């Protein structure tokens, strides 16, 4: 295929901020993105990720900072002058125009020759595997096919950067899985950088080269999926990355590890630096906390959910802490079990959440 993202070395967000009156929606966001990278902006609703994407697209102006594409400052340019592709949550297709005309729209606005437009639309349709659907209207396509049209429209202009704002949230679970693979395949094929907004940690982990976790307008951590999954830098990042058990504890160093006290129970964990003894938060994934005859934690079963190869259960300790854990069988409500976790998977954060 001849379609390829326009060449560049680096996109740079330099202390980017955006205010809405007295509300600071973005606070000094700094990030470098290399050509060919897939970056996921991840965080809960209201964290600033969509605001950051709209500032990149030029749909919102910055309150401070700057955006650079190599040596060119682009935050002062109009959206159409930036040359980025955009894929929206609701597809934003023209319902009265055929698939081909929807895909060709950006090229037509650029005044490209008709023969070039036809050739590139053919290439884009082939990339998204819709070559036989070009004559149809968007309303005649499935949701997944409409999303492919939106992607084709974004990539046909050969952008250096493709911006995606929660593009899979309107699809059912099966289609989301299929489109994840398609989005990554198309990204690798055309070579553009992609910045992808999502609140779904599984989506971010499966798609991205690097994940940017945001909270309250700030970047909390940037890292690979493996780094974010295995070693969140802060307790709030750990919570968002699936460490549902967040226990208030008292912690003290013991050699290379950390001893923590949860009520009357003593456990061993792993400190996440910087670490200060005293009040702390211990974070444990449900899949890392399991039923064990010799476990130090006693809990009373509340519920169990079947997940195919195991059960994910909830229970309560004698001092009232709610825990989520893995079990090999369905627990009866009120059943008492003992729980244990590998110390390497019990992450201890001094001071807890900021």
């Amino acid at each position: 295929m001849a379609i390829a993202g326009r060449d560049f070395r680096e996109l740079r967000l330099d202390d980017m901020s955006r205010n809405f009156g007295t509300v600071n929606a973005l606070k000094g966001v700094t990030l470098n993105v290399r050509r060919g990278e897939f970056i996921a902006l991840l965080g809960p609703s209201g964290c600033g990720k969509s605001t950051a994407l709209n500032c990149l697209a030029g749909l919102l102006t910055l309150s401070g900072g700057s955006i650079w594409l190599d040596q060119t400052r682009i935050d002062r340019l109009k959206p159409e002058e930036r040359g980025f592709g955009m894929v929206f949550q609701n597809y934003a297709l023209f319902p009265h125009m055929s698939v081909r005309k929807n895909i060709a729209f950006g090229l037509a606005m650029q005044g490209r020759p008709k023969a070039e437009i036809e050739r590139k639309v053919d290439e884009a349709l082939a990339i998204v595997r819709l070559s036989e659907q070009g004559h149809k209207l968007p309303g005649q396509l499935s949701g997944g096919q409409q999303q492919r049209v939106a992607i084709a429209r974004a990539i046909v202009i050969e952008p250096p950067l493709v911006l995606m704002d929660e593009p899979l949230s309107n699809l059912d679970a099966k289609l989301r899985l299929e489109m994840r693979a398609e989005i990554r395949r198309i990204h690798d094929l055309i070579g553009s950088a992609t910045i992808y907004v999502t609140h779904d940690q599984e989506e971010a982990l499966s798609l991205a080269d690097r994940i940017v976790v945001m909270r309250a307008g700030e970047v909390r951590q940037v890292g690979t999926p493996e780094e974010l999954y295995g070693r969140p830098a802060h307790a709030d990042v750990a919570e968002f990355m699936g460490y549902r058990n967040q226990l208030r504890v008292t912690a003290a160093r013991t050699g290379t590890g950390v001893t923590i006290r949860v009520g009357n129970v003593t456990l061993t964990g792993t400190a996440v630096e910087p670490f200060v003894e005293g009040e702390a938060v211990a974070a444990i994934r449900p899949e890392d906390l399991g039923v064990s005859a010799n476990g130090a934690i006693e809990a009373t079963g509340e519920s169990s959910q079947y997940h195919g190869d195991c059960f994910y259960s909830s229970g309560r300790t004698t001092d009232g802490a709610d825990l989520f854990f893995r079990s090999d069988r369905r627990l009866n409500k009120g059943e008492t079990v003992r729980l244990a976790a590998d110390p390497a998977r019990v992450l201890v954060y001094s001071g807890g959440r900021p």
Side-chain angles (χ1 to χ4, degrees):
M1 296 299 173
I3 287 179
R6 196 173 82 232
D7 193 25
F8 74 101
R9 288 187 305 167
E10 187 177 66
L11 172 79
R12 188 170 77 253
L13 315 184
D14 189 4
D15 202 28
M16 187 172 75
S17 64
R18 169 69 193 193
N19 303 328
F20 294 96
T22 59
V23 177
N24 300 322
L26 290 179
K27 306 171 187 175
V29 172
T30 296
L31 179 70
N32 290 0
V33 180
R34 299 179 296 275
R35 186 179 190 274
E37 268 200 298
F38 197 118
I39 301 292
L41 302 183
L42 176 66
S45 297
C47 72
K49 56 189 186 294
S50 289
T51 300
L53 200 77
N54 287 328
C55 286
L56 265 171
L59 303 177
L60 289 174
T61 57
L62 297 185
S63 302
S66 56
I67 306 172
W68 298 79
L69 192 65
D70 291 334
Q71 302 306 312
T72 302
R73 183 170 180 176
I74 64 170
D75 57 279
R76 296 168 178 168
L77 300 179
K78 297 176 182 177
E80 62 272 20
E81 294 172 334
R82 302 184 188 195
F84 297 161
M86 186 88 180
V87 180
F88 298 94
Q89 180 177 339
N90 62 355
Y91 317 140
L93 301 175
F94 298 112
H96 63 289
M97 294 168 59
S98 70
V99 166
R100 291 191 68 89
K101 288 183 177 179
N102 266 281
I103 295 171
F105 184 79
L107 295 172
M109 291 298 99
Q110 294 176 354
R112 303 283 188 92
K114 184 177 179 180
E116 180 187 350
I117 292 175
E118 291 298 312
R119 175 175 58 81
K120 288 192 176 296
V121 169
D122 285 340
E123 292 169 1
L125 281 168
I127 287 173
V128 299
R129 298 172 177 170
L130 288 176
S131 293
E132 304 303 317
Q133 311 297 328
H135 63 286
K136 293 183 179 179
L137 295 174
Q140 296 174 296
L141 303 179
S142 68
Q145 288 174 323
Q146 289 183 52
Q147 192 58 277
R148 289 171 192 256
V149 175
I151 293 170
R153 183 182 57 188
I155 66 173
V156 75
I157 60 173
E158 300 184 294
L161 186 69
V162 177
L163 307 174
M164 296 191 173
D165 192 2
E166 305 213 40
L168 306 184
S169 59
N170 290 334
L171 303 180
D172 62 37
K174 180 176 180 293
L175 271 178
R176 282 201 301 272
L177 286 174
E178 291 176 1
M179 284 305 300
R180 265 192 227 165
E182 280 298 283
I183 285 172
R184 184 68 212 207
R185 179 186 67 82
I186 293 166
H187 165 85
D188 291 338
L189 186 64
I190 68 173
S192 297
T194 298
I195 296 185
Y196 184 103
V197 163
T198 182
H199 64 273
D200 186 326
Q201 53 143 312
E202 187 177 331
E203 246 177 50
L205 289 168
S206 65
L207 281 170
D209 298 313
R210 286 192 297 156
I211 298 172
V212 180
V213 179
M214 298 185 67
R215 175 171 174 254
E218 297 179 317
V219 173
R220 295 294 289 157
Q221 186 175 354
V222 180
T224 66
E226 293 82 2
E227 290 167 346
L228 267 294
Y229 185 91
R231 192 80 168 184
H234 307 283
D236 60 293
V237 176
E239 183 177 28
F240 197 77
M241 294 305 298
Y243 289 75
R244 292 184 67 189
N245 298 303
Q246 300 248 328
L247 306 174
R248 288 282 177 184
V249 299
T250 302
R253 285 195 179 277
T254 53
T256 58
V258 177
T259 297
I260 57 176
R261 287 191 62 80
V262 189
N264 296 322
V265 177
T266 299
L267 301 172
T268 302
T270 300
V272 179
E273 298 295 342
F275 179 79
V276 179
E277 294 185 342
E279 289 188 4
V281 167
I284 314 171
R285 286 183 175 277
E287 54 265 41
D288 293 329
L289 184 64
V291 175
S292 171
N294 299 319
I297 303 173
E298 183 178 292
T300 302
E302 296 281 339
S303 67
S304 291
Q305 297 178 355
Y306 183 55
H307 280 233
D309 61 339
C310 68
F311 291 86
Y312 277 74
S313 304
S314 64
R316 181 165 293 184
T317 64
T318 53
D319 57 350
D322 292 318
L323 293 176
F324 304 91
F325 53 93
R326 177 179 173 132
S327 59
D328 293 330
R329 60 177 178 83
R330 187 183 298 277
L331 300 182
N332 297 316
K333 185 175 175 59
E335 181 179 352
T336 299
V337 294
R338 305 200 73 83
L339 306 174
D342 182 345
R345 304 303 303 146
V346 179
L347 304 185
V348 184
Y349 300 86
S350 61
R353 293 185 59 162

